[in-house]
Amino acid sequence: MGIKAQVPNTITLLNLFSGCIALIFAFHQDFKLAFLFVCLGIFLDFFDGFFARLFKVSSPLGLQLDSLADMVTSGVVPGVAMYYLMNQALGFPSSGWQLFFPYLGFIITLGSCYRLANFNIDTRQTDSFIGLPTPANALFILSLPLILLDNQYGFISQALSNPWILLVISLFSAFMLNVEIPLFSLKVKSASFAKNKLQIIFLTVSVLLLVFFKALGIPLLILFYIALSVLTNKKSS
């Protein structure tokens, strides 16, 4: 096997390595650094596919490696983050039903695993997505502890300190990962504005949300992505 064929796989393994580092930071409740390493992993996840197409070395091995790496970076890490958020919301209980409640945060990990396995055998998701991609979902979940740290919006911080609301978010996350809703691809495939209108609108709104709302802008742009896809689907149907 040539060196070119190993470049995408190496990048994929670096994605996995970034996810492992993010996992350690999540265990230590350093969610800023966990978020940064998840972002690095997602960045690498984009480029492994890019180089696989560039070098024309796509392979079944690369597909499996990609999903396994994403399982850690975009599946296990957000589950751990939600576990700690629920623990914190409950005051780190030591006994009773509350002791087991935070483990429900790993519903996110289970939903991510199912999506990644299904993605590998779903031939419909070549140019667009069906259900929320795991990297987008990971950013959504990992933005929540950052919003709590920012603490600019009292009512939102209060909501994110409620374990039942966190459970609803976890269930919503697992649902959106696997729901049969087509979501448009963010890839720009030509220089034509008309053909990339959706992507340009989304990227413009995303920048504005991040500039004005900072950490809160991340879940807002994910929700905007879902809403824009749903509206687009209705217009085309």
Side-chain angles (χ1 to χ4, degrees):
M1 191 176 289
I3 295 175
K4 281 186 178 181
Q6 291 302 327
V7 170
N9 291 343
T10 302
I11 295 173
T12 301
L13 291 174
L14 288 174
N15 169 18
L16 175 59
F17 185 54
S18 297
C20 291
I21 296 173
L23 194 57
I24 297 299
F25 283 119
F27 280 136
H28 290 284
Q29 299 177 62
D30 189 338
F31 293 113
K32 284 186 177 180
L33 285 175
F35 180 83
L36 287 175
F37 275 97
V38 165
C39 287
L40 177 59
I42 291 171
F43 176 79
L44 292 166
D45 182 45
F46 172 82
F47 276 101
D48 62 3
F50 172 80
F51 281 106
R53 291 187 295 271
L54 179 67
F55 295 150
K56 298 179 180 178
V57 291
S58 298
S59 67
L61 173 63
L63 181 65
Q64 298 303 320
L65 278 176
D66 188 68
S67 288
L68 290 169
D70 282 349
M71 184 58 210
V72 175
T73 305
S74 299
V76 179
V77 178
V80 170
M82 183 57 76
Y83 167 83
Y84 278 111
L85 283 175
M86 288 182 168
N87 247 324
Q88 183 177 313
L90 290 166
F92 296 95
S94 57
S95 62
W97 67 270
Q98 292 183 340
L99 179 64
F100 298 98
F101 189 91
Y103 290 102
L104 295 175
F106 288 104
I107 289 171
I108 296 165
T109 303
L110 302 182
S112 299
C113 181
Y114 190 88
R115 175 184 169 74
L116 288 166
N118 191 42
F119 183 83
N120 284 354
I121 59 173
D122 191 343
T123 56
R124 298 172 298 169
Q125 302 190 61
T126 53
D127 297 320
S128 60
F129 301 110
I130 297 175
L132 188 65
T134 51
N137 184 67
L139 293 177
F140 179 88
I141 299 299
L142 284 163
S143 68
L144 303 182
L146 301 185
I147 293 168
L148 283 172
L149 288 171
D150 194 21
N151 201 29
Q152 285 189 352
Y153 305 93
F155 70 100
I156 295 177
S157 296
Q158 188 175 0
L160 294 178
S161 298
N162 185 314
W164 297 104
I165 290 179
L166 293 173
L167 177 59
V168 170
I169 291 172
S170 300
L171 292 169
F172 174 75
S173 165
F175 172 75
M176 287 307 306
L177 283 165
N178 295 286
V179 69
E180 291 278 320
I181 296 178
L183 303 177
F184 66 87
S185 172
L186 298 179
K187 293 177 183 177
V188 176
K189 297 180 179 179
S190 69
S192 168
F193 174 81
K195 290 182 179 179
N196 297 293
K197 185 168 61 175
L198 267 180
Q199 290 84 351
I200 293 169
I201 290 172
F202 175 74
L203 290 173
T204 303
V205 173
S206 297
V207 170
L208 292 173
L209 287 172
L210 292 172
V211 169
F212 288 105
F213 295 100
K214 298 181 182 177
L216 181 59
I218 298 168
L220 290 177
L221 70 88
I222 300 297
L223 293 173
F224 175 67
Y225 173 50
I226 296 169
L228 188 59
S229 295
V230 171
L231 288 173
T232 305
N233 293 335
K234 285 186 176 180
K235 284 184 179 180
S236 60
S237 60

